[in-house]
Short mmCIF file of all heavy atoms in Angstrom, two decimals:
data_model
loop_
_atom_site.label_atom_id
_atom_site.label_comp_id
_atom_site.label_asym_id
_atom_site.label_seq_id
_atom_site.Cartn_x
_atom_site.Cartn_y
_atom_site.Cartn_z
N MET A 1 3.50 5.52 -26.23
CA MET A 1 2.95 4.63 -25.22
C MET A 1 3.76 4.79 -23.96
O MET A 1 4.97 4.76 -23.93
CB MET A 1 3.06 3.18 -25.68
CG MET A 1 2.45 2.24 -24.80
SD MET A 1 2.38 0.66 -25.55
CE MET A 1 2.76 -0.42 -24.18
N ALA A 2 3.10 4.85 -22.73
CA ALA A 2 3.79 5.01 -21.52
C ALA A 2 4.35 3.70 -21.01
O ALA A 2 3.89 2.62 -21.32
CB ALA A 2 2.77 5.54 -20.46
N ALA A 3 5.35 3.82 -20.20
CA ALA A 3 5.97 2.65 -19.66
C ALA A 3 5.07 2.00 -18.64
O ALA A 3 4.37 2.68 -17.95
CB ALA A 3 7.34 3.00 -19.03
N PRO A 4 5.11 0.67 -18.50
CA PRO A 4 4.21 0.00 -17.55
C PRO A 4 4.68 0.09 -16.09
O PRO A 4 3.94 -0.29 -15.24
CB PRO A 4 4.23 -1.42 -18.02
CG PRO A 4 5.56 -1.58 -18.70
CD PRO A 4 5.88 -0.26 -19.30
N VAL A 5 5.85 0.70 -15.84
CA VAL A 5 6.37 0.66 -14.47
C VAL A 5 5.44 1.42 -13.53
O VAL A 5 5.11 0.97 -12.44
CB VAL A 5 7.83 1.22 -14.44
CG1 VAL A 5 8.27 1.46 -12.99
CG2 VAL A 5 8.76 0.32 -15.22
N PRO A 6 5.02 2.72 -13.83
CA PRO A 6 4.06 3.40 -12.92
C PRO A 6 2.80 2.64 -12.65
O PRO A 6 2.28 2.64 -11.55
CB PRO A 6 3.80 4.73 -13.59
CG PRO A 6 4.92 4.93 -14.52
CD PRO A 6 5.39 3.57 -15.03
N LYS A 7 2.29 1.95 -13.69
CA LYS A 7 1.04 1.21 -13.51
C LYS A 7 1.22 0.03 -12.61
O LYS A 7 0.34 -0.24 -11.72
CB LYS A 7 0.48 0.74 -14.88
CG LYS A 7 0.01 1.88 -15.67
CD LYS A 7 -0.51 1.34 -17.05
CE LYS A 7 -0.97 2.49 -17.91
NZ LYS A 7 -1.48 2.12 -19.19
N VAL A 8 2.35 -0.70 -12.74
CA VAL A 8 2.61 -1.80 -11.93
C VAL A 8 2.78 -1.34 -10.44
O VAL A 8 2.33 -1.97 -9.50
CB VAL A 8 3.89 -2.52 -12.40
CG1 VAL A 8 4.27 -3.61 -11.41
CG2 VAL A 8 3.60 -3.18 -13.73
N LEU A 9 3.61 -0.27 -10.24
CA LEU A 9 3.76 0.25 -8.84
C LEU A 9 2.42 0.71 -8.30
O LEU A 9 2.22 0.47 -7.06
CB LEU A 9 4.71 1.44 -8.97
CG LEU A 9 6.22 1.11 -9.10
CD1 LEU A 9 6.98 2.36 -9.32
CD2 LEU A 9 6.78 0.29 -8.03
N HIS A 10 1.59 1.29 -9.06
CA HIS A 10 0.31 1.73 -8.58
C HIS A 10 -0.53 0.55 -8.18
O HIS A 10 -1.36 0.57 -7.21
CB HIS A 10 -0.42 2.62 -9.64
CG HIS A 10 -1.66 3.19 -9.07
ND1 HIS A 10 -2.89 2.63 -9.39
CD2 HIS A 10 -1.94 4.24 -8.37
CE1 HIS A 10 -3.84 3.32 -8.86
NE2 HIS A 10 -3.31 4.28 -8.19
N TYR A 11 -0.53 -0.51 -9.00
CA TYR A 11 -1.28 -1.72 -8.63
C TYR A 11 -0.84 -2.30 -7.34
O TYR A 11 -1.68 -2.65 -6.50
CB TYR A 11 -1.06 -2.71 -9.81
CG TYR A 11 -1.73 -4.04 -9.56
CD1 TYR A 11 -3.16 -4.20 -9.59
CD2 TYR A 11 -1.01 -5.22 -9.19
CE1 TYR A 11 -3.72 -5.42 -9.35
CE2 TYR A 11 -1.64 -6.37 -8.92
CZ TYR A 11 -2.96 -6.49 -9.02
OH TYR A 11 -3.55 -7.70 -8.74
N PHE A 12 0.47 -2.49 -7.14
CA PHE A 12 1.03 -3.02 -5.92
C PHE A 12 0.64 -2.09 -4.73
O PHE A 12 0.38 -2.56 -3.68
CB PHE A 12 2.51 -3.23 -5.99
CG PHE A 12 2.89 -4.46 -6.79
CD1 PHE A 12 3.82 -4.50 -7.73
CD2 PHE A 12 2.24 -5.74 -6.59
CE1 PHE A 12 4.16 -5.58 -8.48
CE2 PHE A 12 2.49 -6.81 -7.27
CZ PHE A 12 3.54 -6.82 -8.22
N CYS A 13 0.75 -0.81 -4.93
CA CYS A 13 0.35 0.18 -3.96
C CYS A 13 -1.07 -0.06 -3.53
O CYS A 13 -1.33 -0.12 -2.32
CB CYS A 13 0.62 1.56 -4.48
SG CYS A 13 -0.11 2.81 -3.45
N THR A 14 -1.97 -0.10 -4.48
CA THR A 14 -3.33 -0.34 -4.10
C THR A 14 -3.59 -1.69 -3.38
O THR A 14 -4.41 -1.68 -2.43
CB THR A 14 -4.16 -0.26 -5.40
OG1 THR A 14 -3.93 0.89 -6.10
CG2 THR A 14 -5.64 -0.44 -5.12
N CYS A 15 -2.99 -2.70 -3.83
CA CYS A 15 -3.15 -4.02 -3.18
C CYS A 15 -2.69 -4.03 -1.71
O CYS A 15 -3.31 -4.46 -0.86
CB CYS A 15 -2.42 -5.08 -3.92
SG CYS A 15 -3.17 -5.50 -5.47
N LEU A 16 -1.52 -3.34 -1.51
CA LEU A 16 -0.98 -3.30 -0.15
C LEU A 16 -1.85 -2.44 0.73
O LEU A 16 -1.97 -2.71 1.95
CB LEU A 16 0.50 -2.82 -0.17
CG LEU A 16 1.49 -3.83 -0.61
CD1 LEU A 16 2.89 -3.19 -0.87
CD2 LEU A 16 1.57 -4.96 0.39
N LEU A 17 -2.39 -1.34 0.26
CA LEU A 17 -3.21 -0.53 0.99
C LEU A 17 -4.57 -1.07 1.42
O LEU A 17 -5.04 -0.95 2.48
CB LEU A 17 -3.44 0.84 0.38
CG LEU A 17 -2.22 1.75 0.32
CD1 LEU A 17 -2.53 2.99 -0.50
CD2 LEU A 17 -1.71 2.12 1.74
N VAL A 18 -5.07 -1.94 0.47
CA VAL A 18 -6.30 -2.74 0.78
C VAL A 18 -5.95 -3.75 1.87
O VAL A 18 -6.75 -3.87 2.80
CB VAL A 18 -6.86 -3.36 -0.49
CG1 VAL A 18 -7.82 -4.47 -0.17
CG2 VAL A 18 -7.41 -2.37 -1.44
N ILE A 19 -4.91 -4.41 1.73
CA ILE A 19 -4.51 -5.41 2.81
C ILE A 19 -4.28 -4.71 4.11
O ILE A 19 -4.76 -5.11 5.17
CB ILE A 19 -3.17 -6.10 2.36
CG1 ILE A 19 -3.48 -7.05 1.20
CG2 ILE A 19 -2.59 -6.88 3.58
CD1 ILE A 19 -2.23 -7.63 0.61
N ALA A 20 -3.69 -3.54 4.10
CA ALA A 20 -3.41 -2.77 5.29
C ALA A 20 -4.77 -2.42 6.04
O ALA A 20 -4.97 -2.52 7.20
CB ALA A 20 -2.54 -1.55 5.08
N PHE A 21 -5.70 -1.81 5.23
CA PHE A 21 -6.94 -1.38 5.79
C PHE A 21 -7.76 -2.55 6.35
O PHE A 21 -8.38 -2.46 7.42
CB PHE A 21 -7.85 -0.66 4.82
CG PHE A 21 -7.41 0.83 4.59
CD1 PHE A 21 -7.01 1.20 3.31
CD2 PHE A 21 -7.43 1.68 5.61
CE1 PHE A 21 -6.61 2.55 3.08
CE2 PHE A 21 -7.11 3.11 5.48
CZ PHE A 21 -6.67 3.45 4.21
N LEU A 22 -7.75 -3.66 5.64
CA LEU A 22 -8.46 -4.84 6.14
C LEU A 22 -7.88 -5.44 7.43
O LEU A 22 -8.63 -5.74 8.35
CB LEU A 22 -8.55 -5.84 5.04
CG LEU A 22 -9.52 -5.57 3.79
CD1 LEU A 22 -9.37 -6.64 2.79
CD2 LEU A 22 -10.94 -5.41 4.25
N THR A 23 -6.63 -5.58 7.44
CA THR A 23 -5.95 -6.19 8.66
C THR A 23 -6.00 -5.28 9.82
O THR A 23 -6.23 -5.79 10.93
CB THR A 23 -4.50 -6.57 8.36
OG1 THR A 23 -3.74 -5.45 7.90
CG2 THR A 23 -4.35 -7.64 7.30
N VAL A 24 -5.85 -4.01 9.65
CA VAL A 24 -5.94 -3.13 10.76
C VAL A 24 -7.42 -3.02 11.29
O VAL A 24 -7.64 -3.04 12.42
CB VAL A 24 -5.35 -1.71 10.48
CG1 VAL A 24 -5.72 -0.70 11.57
CG2 VAL A 24 -3.87 -1.83 10.31
N GLY A 25 -8.37 -3.05 10.37
CA GLY A 25 -9.74 -3.07 10.78
C GLY A 25 -10.12 -4.28 11.51
O GLY A 25 -10.75 -4.26 12.55
N ILE A 26 -9.68 -5.49 11.04
CA ILE A 26 -9.99 -6.75 11.73
C ILE A 26 -9.25 -6.82 13.02
O ILE A 26 -9.93 -7.30 14.06
CB ILE A 26 -9.59 -7.91 10.84
CG1 ILE A 26 -10.54 -7.99 9.60
CG2 ILE A 26 -9.67 -9.22 11.54
CD1 ILE A 26 -10.11 -8.94 8.54
N GLY A 27 -8.07 -6.34 13.14
CA GLY A 27 -7.32 -6.37 14.38
C GLY A 27 -7.92 -5.43 15.39
O GLY A 27 -8.07 -5.76 16.60
N SER A 28 -8.38 -4.26 14.96
CA SER A 28 -9.03 -3.38 15.85
C SER A 28 -10.31 -3.87 16.37
O SER A 28 -10.70 -3.74 17.52
CB SER A 28 -9.28 -2.02 15.21
OG SER A 28 -8.05 -1.37 14.77
N TRP A 29 -11.05 -4.49 15.55
CA TRP A 29 -12.34 -5.11 15.96
C TRP A 29 -12.13 -6.28 16.94
O TRP A 29 -12.81 -6.38 17.93
CB TRP A 29 -13.08 -5.66 14.68
CG TRP A 29 -14.38 -6.35 15.09
CD1 TRP A 29 -15.57 -5.76 15.29
CD2 TRP A 29 -14.53 -7.80 15.28
NE1 TRP A 29 -16.51 -6.73 15.60
CE2 TRP A 29 -15.90 -7.94 15.61
CE3 TRP A 29 -13.72 -8.83 15.24
CZ2 TRP A 29 -16.44 -9.18 15.91
CZ3 TRP A 29 -14.28 -10.15 15.51
CH2 TRP A 29 -15.60 -10.24 15.86
N ALA A 30 -11.06 -7.03 16.70
CA ALA A 30 -10.75 -8.16 17.63
C ALA A 30 -10.36 -7.60 19.01
O ALA A 30 -10.76 -8.15 20.05
CB ALA A 30 -9.65 -9.03 17.08
N LEU A 31 -9.58 -6.51 19.00
CA LEU A 31 -9.25 -5.93 20.31
C LEU A 31 -10.31 -5.21 21.00
O LEU A 31 -10.47 -5.29 22.24
CB LEU A 31 -8.11 -4.95 20.08
CG LEU A 31 -6.71 -5.48 19.82
CD1 LEU A 31 -5.66 -4.40 19.47
CD2 LEU A 31 -6.23 -6.38 20.94
N ALA A 32 -11.26 -4.64 20.27
CA ALA A 32 -12.43 -3.94 20.85
C ALA A 32 -13.41 -5.02 21.44
O ALA A 32 -14.10 -4.72 22.42
CB ALA A 32 -13.13 -3.14 19.81
N ASN A 33 -13.52 -6.16 20.89
CA ASN A 33 -14.44 -7.18 21.33
C ASN A 33 -13.73 -8.32 22.10
O ASN A 33 -14.19 -9.43 22.08
CB ASN A 33 -15.20 -7.75 20.14
CG ASN A 33 -16.03 -6.71 19.46
OD1 ASN A 33 -16.72 -5.97 20.14
ND2 ASN A 33 -16.12 -6.75 18.17
N ASP A 34 -12.69 -8.01 22.76
CA ASP A 34 -11.90 -9.03 23.49
C ASP A 34 -12.65 -9.41 24.78
O ASP A 34 -13.22 -8.58 25.42
CB ASP A 34 -10.51 -8.40 23.80
CG ASP A 34 -9.60 -9.40 24.45
OD1 ASP A 34 -9.84 -10.65 24.30
OD2 ASP A 34 -8.57 -9.03 25.04
N THR A 35 -12.60 -10.66 25.09
CA THR A 35 -13.29 -11.24 26.28
C THR A 35 -12.31 -11.41 27.42
O THR A 35 -12.75 -11.79 28.48
CB THR A 35 -13.92 -12.56 25.91
OG1 THR A 35 -12.89 -13.49 25.54
CG2 THR A 35 -14.99 -12.40 24.89
N GLY A 36 -11.02 -11.04 27.22
CA GLY A 36 -10.09 -11.20 28.32
C GLY A 36 -9.17 -12.30 28.17
O GLY A 36 -8.22 -12.50 28.99
N GLU A 37 -9.27 -13.16 27.10
CA GLU A 37 -8.38 -14.25 26.91
C GLU A 37 -7.07 -13.70 26.19
O GLU A 37 -7.17 -12.85 25.30
CB GLU A 37 -9.04 -15.36 26.14
CG GLU A 37 -10.27 -15.91 26.86
CD GLU A 37 -10.95 -16.92 26.05
OE1 GLU A 37 -10.36 -17.42 25.04
OE2 GLU A 37 -12.09 -17.27 26.38
N GLY A 38 -5.96 -14.21 26.56
CA GLY A 38 -4.68 -13.60 26.08
C GLY A 38 -4.42 -13.89 24.64
O GLY A 38 -3.73 -13.15 23.97
N GLY A 39 -4.89 -14.95 24.03
CA GLY A 39 -4.63 -15.33 22.67
C GLY A 39 -5.10 -14.26 21.67
O GLY A 39 -4.41 -14.09 20.64
N VAL A 40 -6.23 -13.72 21.95
CA VAL A 40 -6.83 -12.76 21.00
C VAL A 40 -5.94 -11.44 20.98
O VAL A 40 -5.72 -10.91 19.88
CB VAL A 40 -8.28 -12.39 21.42
CG1 VAL A 40 -8.82 -11.24 20.57
CG2 VAL A 40 -9.19 -13.57 21.27
N ASN A 41 -5.41 -11.07 22.10
CA ASN A 41 -4.67 -9.86 22.18
C ASN A 41 -3.37 -10.05 21.42
O ASN A 41 -2.91 -9.16 20.64
CB ASN A 41 -4.23 -9.51 23.62
CG ASN A 41 -5.46 -9.01 24.38
OD1 ASN A 41 -6.44 -8.42 23.78
ND2 ASN A 41 -5.39 -9.04 25.66
N ILE A 42 -2.75 -11.21 21.56
CA ILE A 42 -1.47 -11.50 20.80
C ILE A 42 -1.74 -11.53 19.29
O ILE A 42 -1.06 -10.93 18.48
CB ILE A 42 -0.89 -12.76 21.33
CG1 ILE A 42 -0.39 -12.54 22.77
CG2 ILE A 42 0.33 -13.12 20.45
CD1 ILE A 42 0.03 -13.80 23.49
N GLY A 43 -2.79 -12.24 18.95
CA GLY A 43 -3.06 -12.48 17.52
C GLY A 43 -3.46 -11.13 16.82
O GLY A 43 -2.98 -10.82 15.76
N ALA A 44 -4.28 -10.34 17.53
CA ALA A 44 -4.68 -9.07 17.00
C ALA A 44 -3.54 -8.05 16.89
O ALA A 44 -3.43 -7.36 15.88
CB ALA A 44 -5.82 -8.45 17.80
N GLY A 45 -2.61 -8.16 17.82
CA GLY A 45 -1.49 -7.24 17.83
C GLY A 45 -0.57 -7.62 16.62
O GLY A 45 -0.05 -6.70 15.99
N ILE A 46 -0.28 -8.87 16.41
CA ILE A 46 0.48 -9.30 15.31
C ILE A 46 -0.18 -8.93 13.98
O ILE A 46 0.53 -8.48 13.06
CB ILE A 46 0.81 -10.79 15.41
CG1 ILE A 46 1.76 -11.05 16.64
CG2 ILE A 46 1.48 -11.26 14.12
CD1 ILE A 46 1.91 -12.54 16.90
N LEU A 47 -1.47 -9.17 13.89
CA LEU A 47 -2.19 -8.81 12.70
C LEU A 47 -2.09 -7.31 12.38
O LEU A 47 -1.87 -6.92 11.27
CB LEU A 47 -3.61 -9.27 12.78
CG LEU A 47 -4.51 -9.14 11.57
CD1 LEU A 47 -4.00 -10.08 10.54
CD2 LEU A 47 -5.94 -9.45 11.87
N MET A 48 -2.24 -6.47 13.41
CA MET A 48 -2.20 -5.01 13.25
C MET A 48 -0.79 -4.60 12.80
O MET A 48 -0.58 -3.70 12.10
CB MET A 48 -2.76 -4.30 14.50
CG MET A 48 -4.20 -4.50 14.65
SD MET A 48 -4.87 -3.65 16.05
CE MET A 48 -4.52 -1.96 15.65
N LEU A 49 0.20 -5.23 13.43
CA LEU A 49 1.61 -4.89 13.08
C LEU A 49 1.83 -5.19 11.69
O LEU A 49 2.50 -4.40 10.89
CB LEU A 49 2.54 -5.72 13.97
CG LEU A 49 4.08 -5.42 13.78
CD1 LEU A 49 4.36 -3.99 14.18
CD2 LEU A 49 4.87 -6.33 14.58
N PHE A 50 1.39 -6.35 11.16
CA PHE A 50 1.49 -6.68 9.74
C PHE A 50 0.73 -5.65 8.92
O PHE A 50 1.22 -5.23 7.79
CB PHE A 50 0.93 -8.05 9.46
CG PHE A 50 0.82 -8.39 8.03
CD1 PHE A 50 1.95 -8.70 7.33
CD2 PHE A 50 -0.37 -8.50 7.40
CE1 PHE A 50 1.89 -9.03 5.93
CE2 PHE A 50 -0.55 -8.83 6.05
CZ PHE A 50 0.66 -9.10 5.34
N GLY A 51 -0.44 -5.25 9.30
CA GLY A 51 -1.24 -4.23 8.59
C GLY A 51 -0.51 -2.92 8.49
O GLY A 51 -0.54 -2.22 7.42
N TYR A 52 0.05 -2.49 9.59
CA TYR A 52 0.76 -1.20 9.60
C TYR A 52 1.95 -1.22 8.64
O TYR A 52 2.29 -0.29 7.90
CB TYR A 52 1.26 -0.88 11.00
CG TYR A 52 0.17 -0.43 11.90
CD1 TYR A 52 0.17 -0.81 13.26
CD2 TYR A 52 -0.93 0.31 11.46
CE1 TYR A 52 -0.79 -0.47 14.11
CE2 TYR A 52 -1.92 0.65 12.35
CZ TYR A 52 -1.86 0.25 13.65
OH TYR A 52 -2.88 0.64 14.48
N ALA A 53 2.70 -2.44 8.68
CA ALA A 53 3.89 -2.58 7.75
C ALA A 53 3.43 -2.62 6.29
O ALA A 53 4.08 -1.99 5.42
CB ALA A 53 4.60 -3.87 8.10
N ALA A 54 2.29 -3.24 6.01
CA ALA A 54 1.77 -3.18 4.62
C ALA A 54 1.38 -1.82 4.26
O ALA A 54 1.59 -1.44 3.00
CB ALA A 54 0.63 -4.19 4.49
N GLY A 55 0.77 -1.07 5.15
CA GLY A 55 0.37 0.29 4.87
C GLY A 55 1.53 1.18 4.51
O GLY A 55 1.51 2.01 3.58
N VAL A 56 2.60 1.13 5.33
CA VAL A 56 3.80 1.97 5.08
C VAL A 56 4.41 1.57 3.77
O VAL A 56 4.81 2.43 2.95
CB VAL A 56 4.79 1.72 6.24
CG1 VAL A 56 6.14 2.36 5.93
CG2 VAL A 56 4.25 2.37 7.51
N LEU A 57 4.52 0.28 3.47
CA LEU A 57 5.08 -0.15 2.19
C LEU A 57 4.23 0.27 1.02
O LEU A 57 4.73 0.71 -0.06
CB LEU A 57 5.27 -1.62 2.15
CG LEU A 57 6.00 -2.23 0.92
CD1 LEU A 57 7.39 -1.67 0.87
CD2 LEU A 57 6.14 -3.70 1.04
N GLY A 58 2.89 0.27 1.22
CA GLY A 58 1.98 0.79 0.16
C GLY A 58 2.12 2.23 -0.12
O GLY A 58 2.07 2.69 -1.25
N LEU A 59 2.28 3.01 0.97
CA LEU A 59 2.47 4.46 0.77
C LEU A 59 3.83 4.69 0.04
O LEU A 59 3.93 5.59 -0.81
CB LEU A 59 2.41 5.21 2.14
CG LEU A 59 1.07 5.22 2.80
CD1 LEU A 59 1.19 5.84 4.18
CD2 LEU A 59 0.13 5.96 1.92
N VAL A 60 4.85 4.00 0.42
CA VAL A 60 6.18 4.18 -0.25
C VAL A 60 5.99 3.83 -1.72
O VAL A 60 6.56 4.59 -2.55
CB VAL A 60 7.26 3.32 0.45
CG1 VAL A 60 8.49 3.33 -0.38
CG2 VAL A 60 7.54 3.86 1.82
N LEU A 61 5.34 2.75 -1.97
CA LEU A 61 5.18 2.35 -3.47
C LEU A 61 4.28 3.37 -4.17
O LEU A 61 4.45 3.68 -5.38
CB LEU A 61 4.55 1.05 -3.59
CG LEU A 61 5.54 -0.14 -3.28
CD1 LEU A 61 4.80 -1.51 -3.42
CD2 LEU A 61 6.72 -0.16 -4.19
N GLY A 62 3.35 3.97 -3.49
CA GLY A 62 2.52 5.09 -4.11
C GLY A 62 3.36 6.23 -4.41
O GLY A 62 3.16 6.80 -5.53
N ALA A 63 4.28 6.64 -3.60
CA ALA A 63 5.08 7.79 -3.85
C ALA A 63 6.05 7.40 -5.00
O ALA A 63 6.29 8.23 -5.88
CB ALA A 63 5.89 8.13 -2.67
N ALA A 64 6.56 6.20 -5.03
CA ALA A 64 7.41 5.79 -6.14
C ALA A 64 6.65 5.77 -7.44
O ALA A 64 7.22 6.14 -8.50
CB ALA A 64 8.00 4.39 -5.83
N ALA A 65 5.40 5.40 -7.39
CA ALA A 65 4.54 5.39 -8.62
C ALA A 65 4.35 6.81 -9.17
O ALA A 65 4.47 7.03 -10.35
CB ALA A 65 3.23 4.69 -8.42
N LEU A 66 4.15 7.75 -8.27
CA LEU A 66 4.03 9.14 -8.71
C LEU A 66 5.33 9.72 -9.29
O LEU A 66 5.34 10.39 -10.36
CB LEU A 66 3.57 9.99 -7.46
CG LEU A 66 2.17 9.85 -7.05
CD1 LEU A 66 1.96 10.65 -5.72
CD2 LEU A 66 1.21 10.26 -8.05
N ILE A 67 6.45 9.34 -8.65
CA ILE A 67 7.74 9.78 -9.23
C ILE A 67 7.99 9.16 -10.51
O ILE A 67 8.45 9.80 -11.50
CB ILE A 67 8.84 9.55 -8.16
CG1 ILE A 67 8.65 10.41 -6.95
CG2 ILE A 67 10.19 9.73 -8.76
CD1 ILE A 67 9.51 10.10 -5.74
N ALA A 68 7.77 7.85 -10.63
CA ALA A 68 7.96 7.11 -11.89
C ALA A 68 7.12 7.75 -13.04
O ALA A 68 7.56 7.84 -14.24
CB ALA A 68 7.78 5.68 -11.71
N HIS A 69 5.89 8.07 -12.68
CA HIS A 69 4.95 8.68 -13.69
C HIS A 69 5.50 10.03 -14.19
O HIS A 69 5.47 10.27 -15.37
CB HIS A 69 3.60 8.82 -13.07
CG HIS A 69 2.59 9.45 -14.07
ND1 HIS A 69 2.11 8.85 -15.17
CD2 HIS A 69 2.02 10.66 -14.05
CE1 HIS A 69 1.35 9.60 -15.82
NE2 HIS A 69 1.24 10.78 -15.12
N ARG A 70 5.97 10.83 -13.27
CA ARG A 70 6.52 12.12 -13.66
C ARG A 70 7.77 11.96 -14.51
O ARG A 70 7.95 12.66 -15.47
CB ARG A 70 6.78 12.93 -12.43
CG ARG A 70 5.53 13.41 -11.82
CD ARG A 70 5.89 14.53 -10.89
NE ARG A 70 6.40 15.64 -11.56
CZ ARG A 70 6.19 16.90 -11.27
NH1 ARG A 70 5.48 17.22 -10.26
NH2 ARG A 70 6.73 17.85 -11.94
N VAL A 71 8.67 10.98 -14.21
CA VAL A 71 9.88 10.74 -14.94
C VAL A 71 9.49 10.23 -16.36
O VAL A 71 10.08 10.78 -17.33
CB VAL A 71 10.78 9.70 -14.21
CG1 VAL A 71 11.89 9.27 -15.10
CG2 VAL A 71 11.35 10.41 -12.90
N VAL A 72 8.58 9.23 -16.46
CA VAL A 72 8.26 8.79 -17.80
C VAL A 72 7.60 9.91 -18.66
O VAL A 72 7.91 10.00 -19.77
CB VAL A 72 7.28 7.65 -17.62
CG1 VAL A 72 6.54 7.24 -18.93
CG2 VAL A 72 7.97 6.42 -17.01
N ARG A 73 6.73 10.71 -18.05
CA ARG A 73 6.08 11.82 -18.75
C ARG A 73 7.20 12.84 -19.17
O ARG A 73 7.06 13.34 -20.33
CB ARG A 73 5.05 12.52 -17.85
CG ARG A 73 4.19 13.46 -18.66
CD ARG A 73 3.11 14.02 -17.81
NE ARG A 73 3.62 14.67 -16.64
CZ ARG A 73 2.93 15.26 -15.66
NH1 ARG A 73 1.60 15.14 -15.72
NH2 ARG A 73 3.46 15.78 -14.71
N HIS A 74 8.14 13.18 -18.32
CA HIS A 74 9.23 14.11 -18.70
C HIS A 74 10.04 13.54 -19.80
O HIS A 74 10.37 14.27 -20.74
CB HIS A 74 10.02 14.42 -17.47
CG HIS A 74 11.15 15.40 -17.73
ND1 HIS A 74 10.84 16.74 -18.02
CD2 HIS A 74 12.51 15.22 -17.81
CE1 HIS A 74 12.07 17.28 -18.21
NE2 HIS A 74 13.05 16.50 -18.10
N GLN A 75 10.34 12.31 -19.78
CA GLN A 75 11.19 11.65 -20.86
C GLN A 75 10.49 11.63 -22.19
O GLN A 75 11.02 11.89 -23.23
CB GLN A 75 11.56 10.28 -20.46
CG GLN A 75 12.65 10.17 -19.41
CD GLN A 75 13.02 8.79 -19.04
OE1 GLN A 75 12.36 7.80 -19.45
NE2 GLN A 75 14.09 8.62 -18.28
N ALA A 76 9.11 11.40 -22.11
CA ALA A 76 8.31 11.40 -23.41
C ALA A 76 8.27 12.82 -23.91
O ALA A 76 8.26 12.93 -25.20
CB ALA A 76 6.95 10.88 -23.06
N ARG A 77 8.20 13.79 -23.10
CA ARG A 77 8.16 15.18 -23.61
C ARG A 77 9.53 15.58 -24.20
O ARG A 77 9.49 16.36 -25.12
CB ARG A 77 7.83 16.15 -22.49
CG ARG A 77 6.70 17.05 -22.84
CD ARG A 77 6.42 18.05 -21.78
NE ARG A 77 5.58 17.48 -20.72
CZ ARG A 77 5.48 17.92 -19.51
NH1 ARG A 77 6.19 18.96 -19.11
NH2 ARG A 77 4.70 17.32 -18.59
N MET A 78 10.60 15.09 -23.67
CA MET A 78 11.92 15.55 -24.08
C MET A 78 12.27 14.86 -25.44
O MET A 78 13.05 15.37 -26.26
CB MET A 78 13.00 15.12 -23.08
CG MET A 78 12.85 15.89 -21.74
SD MET A 78 12.93 17.66 -21.94
CE MET A 78 14.69 17.85 -22.30
N HIS A 79 11.74 13.70 -25.76
CA HIS A 79 12.09 12.94 -26.94
C HIS A 79 11.21 13.40 -28.15
O HIS A 79 11.51 13.06 -29.26
CB HIS A 79 11.91 11.49 -26.70
CG HIS A 79 12.98 10.86 -25.88
ND1 HIS A 79 14.30 10.80 -26.27
CD2 HIS A 79 12.89 10.44 -24.65
CE1 HIS A 79 14.99 10.24 -25.31
NE2 HIS A 79 14.20 10.04 -24.30
N ILE A 80 10.19 14.18 -27.90
CA ILE A 80 9.35 14.66 -29.05
C ILE A 80 9.82 15.89 -29.60
O ILE A 80 10.40 16.72 -29.09
CB ILE A 80 7.87 14.73 -28.63
CG1 ILE A 80 7.42 13.31 -28.30
CG2 ILE A 80 7.01 15.36 -29.64
CD1 ILE A 80 5.98 13.28 -27.74
#
């Protein structure tokens, strides 16, 4: 049986990437449909910054999930 660590990392990676795509999409839409009031620009910028941070963290967790999967598979092969 495989260790649950790669699956958990992959789950968190997927969740963070979904959050990133949604927040950057909403922030981009808000900036594109701006009417000139300052509050929308500030809010959309903060939202997009959060989305970019979530995307970077999601990519890092995705790479960690791939590495953990390879390590678990290698250890299983060595013990048999």
Side-chain angles (χ1 to χ4, degrees):
M1 184 174 140
V5 173
K7 291 181 182 180
V8 171
L9 287 173
H10 185 263
Y11 176 75
F12 283 132
C13 166
T14 304
C15 290
L16 284 172
L17 288 176
V18 166
I19 289 170
F21 280 120
L22 289 175
T23 56
V24 170
I26 292 170
S28 298
W29 179 83
L31 286 176
N33 295 319
D34 188 16
T35 60
E37 298 177 16
V40 174
N41 288 337
I42 294 170
I46 292 172
L47 187 66
M48 288 180 67
L49 183 64
F50 172 73
Y52 291 143
V56 168
L57 187 59
L59 290 175
V60 168
L61 286 178
L66 289 173
I67 292 169
H69 177 69
R70 288 194 64 145
V71 168
V72 167
R73 188 174 62 180
H74 180 69
Q75 286 178 350
R77 230 186 277 159
M78 296 301 287
H79 289 291
I80 292 178

